Amino acid sequence: MKPKHGKTAVILSWQNTAGIEEQLDYLRVFRDLGVRKMQLTYNTQNYSGAGYTEIRDSGLTGFGQEVVTEMAKLGIVFDLSHVGPQTSADVIEFAPAGKPPCFSHVLPGGMLDHPRNKSDALIKGIAAKGGFIGLSQFGPHMEKGNDSTIDDYVRALDYVIGLAGEDLVGIGSDSSEGHGRPSDFMAWCNKDKGYARRLTPWGSQKVVKPLGPLAEMEKLAESMARSGWSEAKIRKVLGENWLNYLEKIFGE
């Protein structure tokens, strides 16, 4: 996946497979329309499994196994960021060889015990399959909460690299160019199906300082350098690892 035309690529993705309903054939339809990454569940239960806020984590369902198998065949990334711990573990174990899942935007539970964060065991499990871990910059899920700085974020990256290795870790900012935190859009996202029960009372919603818009991302490289990272490690984590993982899944 070497750049050929000097252009920025945009990947269409979903945060839920609820859009396919119970129709496996829809996966090919949406893949052909350009959707190349889907989160298996978003916070709550769907036909495939349970999200992390569900009262009881059902684990990967029989239909979910079919969804994972078909997504792998079609070259669609299956993401487990908001997926419940049991369902996540089941998907990691079930994933076809050579087509591992990812956590596109998470933080380590070993630094902050929060239900949205992923345990050391899950991070090691996804790494053992050759999957990918993208680290979120969402303040409330950081060890120091909204007081977290860009240097704290680099420390979190190093923590996960210690679990998974520097070839499988990258940036999964979970920030938005178009919607601030808080916003009406984020309030909608924070309700089950956009209108029902409130799922997670985040309170003040911020990304780590001074990150946010993409224009500020160069400051991250500066922080990595301050922490003694080599140029090769910086390049991997800032993007090369993502490209290598996507090439593995897309098969192109």
Side-chain angles (χ1 to χ4, degrees), residues 3-247:
K4 296 178 180 178
H5 306 293
K7 296 181 179 180
T8 299
V10 176
I11 298 174
L12 299 181
S13 64
W14 289 358
Q15 286 215 88
N16 204 334
T17 54
I20 70 167
E21 300 172 343
E22 74 276 48
Q23 304 295 324
L24 284 175
D25 290 344
Y26 287 2
L27 285 168
R28 181 176 294 275
V29 171
F30 287 110
R31 192 283 308 271
D32 291 347
L33 289 171
V35 181
R36 299 305 301 268
K37 183 167 81 71
M38 293 183 183
Q39 195 164 255
L40 198 66
T41 70
Y42 183 73
N43 295 342
T44 55
Q45 183 80 39
N46 64 19
Y47 287 114
S48 293
Y52 85 98
T53 68
E54 198 55 71
I55 296 170
R56 183 176 295 107
D57 186 343
S58 67
L60 182 66
T61 65
F63 179 72
Q65 290 185 345
E66 295 185 63
V67 169
V68 168
T69 300
E70 188 68 11
M71 288 174 71
K73 289 179 182 177
L74 294 171
I76 302 172
V77 172
F78 36 102
D79 181 5
L80 305 176
S81 296
H82 286 248
V83 176
Q86 185 59 56
T87 302
S88 294
D90 290 350
V91 174
I92 292 168
E93 181 178 359
F94 181 78
K99 299 289 183 178
C102 77
F103 296 134
S104 70
H105 56 294
V106 301
L107 282 162
M111 295 185 77
L112 178 69
D113 185 12
H114 187 285
R116 175 67 171 79
N117 292 348
K118 299 300 180 182
S119 69
D120 288 1
L122 285 175
I123 291 171
K124 289 178 179 178
I126 211 167
K129 284 293 189 81
F132 178 84
I133 305 101
L135 260 66
S136 163
Q137 295 160 0
F138 187 52
H141 299 160
M142 294 281 291
E143 187 176 26
K144 298 178 183 177
N146 282 336
D147 292 327
S148 300
T149 68
I150 193 169
D151 293 331
D152 293 320
Y153 180 66
V154 172
R155 192 164 61 88
L157 285 167
D158 266 327
Y159 181 90
V160 175
I161 287 170
L163 299 172
E166 67 179 53
D167 294 331
L168 301 177
V169 178
I171 310 303
S173 69
D174 205 16
S175 61
S176 172
E177 295 289 297
H179 299 284
R181 294 180 181 271
S183 67
D184 291 342
F185 173 73
M186 292 305 301
W188 180 87
C189 290
N190 197 30
K191 293 181 179 178
D192 187 8
K193 301 173 181 62
Y195 67 87
R197 65 188 172 96
R198 192 178 182 197
L199 297 174
T200 51
W202 287 327
S204 179
Q205 303 165 30
K206 299 177 182 179
V207 294
V208 297
K209 306 175 185 68
L211 297 175
L214 287 174
E216 299 174 351
M217 200 58 68
E218 66 183 41
K219 299 181 190 303
L220 183 52
E222 295 171 2
S223 177
M224 291 170 170
R226 282 198 304 272
S227 297
W229 287 29
S230 67
E231 180 181 349
K233 182 177 176 181
I234 292 172
R235 290 175 64 90
K236 285 179 183 180
V237 174
L238 285 181
E240 289 178 355
N241 289 344
W242 256 124
L243 291 176
N244 290 336
Y245 170 72
L246 292 175
E247 186 173 36

